[in-house]
Amino acid sequence: AQSVTQPDIHITVSEGASLELRCNYSYGATPYLFWYVQSPGQGLQLLLKYFSGDTLVQGIKGFEAEFKRSQSSFNLRKPSVHWSDAAEYFCAVGGNEKLTFGTGTRLTIIP
Amino acid sequence: EAGVTQFPSHSVIEKGQTVTLRCDPISGHDNLYWYRRVMGKEIKFLLHFVKESKQDESGMPNNRFLAERTGGTYSTLKVQPAELEDSGVYFCASSPLTSGSFRGVGELFFGEGSRLTVL
């Protein structure tokens, strides 16, 4: 069975600081990996996805993620966060027409 | 282009009552999904429609939940009778049918969710 672990429930970073959100997955085959973000009052929005090829994936809003098969990880990074990045972030693995999500990481930005 | 819309945004009902949630997918999207997030936990798959047919309903918790998709357009999710543990946020998502090597997994477009509170 597929599963996703996001070990950090809540992260606080200063505006302008770098960010890394952790995601580990379990999946029996080549995974399809996603990061979604939910801002307050909004639906889930896709940040980026990995299907195959280059293991460093660029997404919207300046985010990137790196797929590391040996570590079963797909961590999300941003070099410099903005106050508007405050939101909840979800990692997901896809297969057989459905996504399996992690529990989410809530990001707080302090001035 | 309108996104996925869900109604109501928030519903508060008492245990034993009935609630119906509605989802209007993006026009032309044949795939429609329902997910649920119980507070503090992961977003869990409930079921998947392709057009009006249920492709996978393995995530439906029990027979108190009934999902329909009339004519392959909008979908409803009815909970009857509601229990306390049904509280959570119910998300709807849609996507176009894909073909080829993606095996049907692509970007899902999510609505804002319907928050259900059962007292």
Side-chain angles (χ1 to χ4, degrees):
Chain A
Q2 57 202 50
S3 66
V4 175
T5 301
Q6 293 181 252
D8 304 307
I9 297 173
H10 188 195
I11 284 182
T12 300
V13 299
S14 299
E15 189 168 16
S18 63
L19 171 71
E20 182 168 29
L21 302 183
R22 296 183 291 167
C23 172
N24 292 93
Y25 68 89
S26 173
Y27 190 69
T30 301
Y32 297 86
L33 295 162
F34 305 81
W35 275 98
Y36 280 84
V37 60
Q38 187 179 23
S39 300
Q42 307 284 319
L44 290 161
Q45 181 184 22
L46 181 69
L47 281 177
L48 48 77
K49 58 190 176 188
Y50 171 79
F51 286 166
S52 65
D54 193 346
T55 56
L56 185 62
V57 180
Q58 301 297 320
I60 62 171
K61 304 184 181 186
F63 285 92
E64 66 178 27
E66 186 171 12
F67 169 60
K68 292 185 178 179
R69 184 185 299 274
S70 62
Q71 298 177 20
S72 297
S73 70
F74 189 57
N75 294 349
L76 182 71
R77 301 194 294 248
K78 187 170 184 178
S80 175
V81 298
H82 185 263
W83 64 265
S84 60
D85 293 326
E88 193 156 18
Y89 292 79
F90 296 90
C91 181
V93 61
N96 297 322
E97 303 285 348
K98 60 190 177 189
L99 297 179
T100 297
F101 286 88
T103 50
T105 298
R106 180 168 297 281
L107 176 64
T108 297
I109 309 293
I110 55 176
Chain B
E1 179 182 323
V4 176
T5 56
Q6 294 187 243
F7 181 83
S9 57
H10 192 186
S11 181
V12 181
I13 62 172
E14 293 191 350
K15 176 182 169 180
Q17 290 186 319
T18 297
V19 64
T20 299
L21 310 178
R22 173 171 169 143
C23 169
D24 286 82
I26 293 172
S27 178
H29 282 191
D30 289 328
N31 287 312
L32 187 149
Y33 304 81
W34 284 98
Y35 286 81
R36 177 175 74 170
R37 188 184 192 202
V38 173
M39 190 169 66
K41 303 209 170 173
E42 70 270 31
I43 301 169
K44 281 195 169 180
F45 169 83
L46 294 179
L47 88 160
H48 170 209
F49 284 99
V50 176
K51 299 184 180 179
E52 67 276 5
S53 300
K54 291 176 186 175
Q55 182 80 4
D56 181 351
E57 52 184 331
S58 61
M60 294 288 264
N62 51 60
N63 59 10
R64 295 185 293 103
F65 288 75
L66 175 64
E68 294 180 321
R69 189 179 184 192
T70 307
T73 56
Y74 71 91
S75 175
T76 57
L77 180 64
K78 180 192 288 188
V79 185
Q80 179 183 32
E83 298 289 345
L84 299 179
E85 64 265 25
D86 300 333
S87 295
V89 180
Y90 290 77
F91 291 100
C92 177
S94 71
S95 70
L97 277 177
T98 57
S99 60
S101 61
F102 274 2
R103 296 186 297 174
V105 177
E107 177 177 358
L108 300 189
F109 296 83
F110 281 83
E112 294 180 16
S114 291
R115 180 177 296 277
L116 173 63
T117 302
V118 183
L119 303 176

